[in-house]
Amino acid sequence: MSRILSFQTRIIDIPTVRPHKLSFGSIQQQSYCIVRAELASGAVGWGEAATIGGASWNEESPESIQHAIQSYLIPAVMGHEAGEFETLLQRMDKSCRGNYFAKSAVEMALIDAVARSQGIPAYQLLGGKLHQQLPLAWTLATGDVDKDLEEATRKLAERKHRIFKIKIGARRPEEDVALVTEIAKALAGHAKITVDVNQAWDGNTARRYVPELAHAGVDLIEQPVAQWNTEAMASLVAMPMRTLIMADESICSPQDAYALAHQHASHVFSLKVAKHGGLHRTRKVAAVAEAADIGWYGGTMLETSLGSAASAHVFATLAGTHHGCELFGPQLLVDDIVESQMIVRDFELVIPDGPGYGVTVDEAKLARFDRARVGLTAVHVDMGRQTAFKSN
Ligand code: MUC
Ligand code: MG
């Protein structure tokens, strides 16, 4: 056992290899709040929280995450035993409501530090590794059918991905259905097709177009309606079709999980370490899914290899029916912050062994992408951020 000695936080910005278009906008860079935790024993651990499009995906942004960590979460846990995770979560909750992304970054760093100090992989602190690897999805989000198909064909040939999630919701639903139908037809027999509407439709639009997507061969439809629209989700689940309805933005807390299960409003939950408030709480949400016969999917906020490896460690411990994962964030970035990335083999992500999350943070790379690096003024940063995300 060892007490928490210190923390450091910083925001980094990493450009993406191509624009990533979602229902609410287009991103050209990903921003992260990175946390370094040091224990009295000298052990060091790293955590990360990623957001998509600043504060566009949900209420938190890299800046709010850093502020919550510095002002409230660090004072709440400083000097306490690093391995007493449940106590630390309660202390963070008492000092700061919500702010789950921020809490997840702190907890992620502490789990890494404790696992490293014991020389064990983090999954051993979380119940042990049930899966050696998980099927790895890729997201098609260029907004152009030819470019999407070219990308999917390349990923298939490289034996990296054969589950493709298409981001829709920015265009008219008829146009989206036409694009999805064309891609699904071209890849039929070679790949599984899923879509993510990112809350763009109202209930009536969803009830009209979900059957058309099902007819096109889509296996799974993610968050077709607003995060609050549980009744519409339930009406889609009740439709007689083989296509599954997955909650993403709707499912954050274990209480959300219970409410969705109780109202039969999801076939599958997309699990994400950030929105659940950490790795332990991801397991609590997964436990509700398992109890309610709801499947799970290993979701992403487009983390670097650090956050992706941490997510992989907790996903690897989960029982119940799963639909693979989409921890492809590192492949969407021009560069990473670790020495070597996780292995992707035969369409599956191999869960990394080794102490902590099994990846080694490269501090020179962190410095290269640090928003506060010498010479970058606040004005430049603001201008950079405006061009890095364009809302619709
Ligand atoms: C989301 O809503 O699932 C994850 C992958 C991706 O392309 O967008 C995100 C967020
Ligand atoms: Mg989603």
Side-chain angles (χ1 to χ4, degrees), residues 23 168-169 195-211 213 220-229 232-237 239 241 243-250 265-266 268:
S23 70
I168 61 173
V195 303
D196 189 354
V197 197
N198 280 113
Q199 313 189 63
W201 293 344
D202 62 23
N204 288 332
T205 307
R207 282 183 288 273
R208 168 151 180 211
Y209 289 100
V210 159
L213 291 171
L220 194 142
I221 299 175
E222 181 174 339
Q223 199 67 51
V225 294
Q227 159 268 329
W228 53 265
N229 204 347
M233 290 288 275
S235 69
L236 299 170
V237 168
M239 285 179 166
M241 57 183 183
T243 304
L244 302 176
I245 303 296
M246 178 159 83
D248 181 6
E249 287 89 331
S250 295
S266 313
V268 183

Side-chain angles (χ1 to χ4, degrees), residues 144-185:
D144 176 277
V145 71
D146 293 328
K147 284 189 193 153
D148 281 352
L149 272 174
E150 186 273 321
E151 202 171 89
T153 309
R154 188 158 33 88
K155 300 286 178 189
L156 276 166
E158 291 167 356
R159 299 184 67 76
K160 291 257 168 30
H161 311 273
R162 59 180 167 194
I163 305 171
F164 296 104
K165 170 164 130 178
I166 307 169
K167 286 286 193 185
I168 61 173
R171 283 164 293 233
R172 289 188 303 122
E174 301 87 317
E175 292 175 278
D176 277 337
V177 170
L179 175 129
V180 171
T181 305
E182 199 174 335
I183 294 174
K185 242 189 207 157

Side-chain angles (χ1 to χ4, degrees), residues 18 20-22 24 27 30 52 57 138-141 165-167 196-199 222-223 246 248-249 270 272 275 297 299-303 326 328-329 332:
R18 58 149 168 79
H20 198 65
K21 296 188 176 157
L22 306 92
F24 52 89
I27 57 166
Q30 265 296 86
I52 294 176
W57 193 89
W138 175 262
T139 294
L140 300 172
K165 170 164 130 178
I166 307 169
K167 286 286 193 185
D196 189 354
V197 197
N198 280 113
Q199 313 189 63
E222 181 174 339
Q223 199 67 51
M246 178 159 83
D248 181 6
E249 287 89 331
S270 173
K272 293 179 180 176
K275 67 180 182 175
Y297 175 75
T300 181
M301 287 302 291
L302 304 177
E303 287 89 353
E326 57 173 22
F328 67 90
L332 193 67

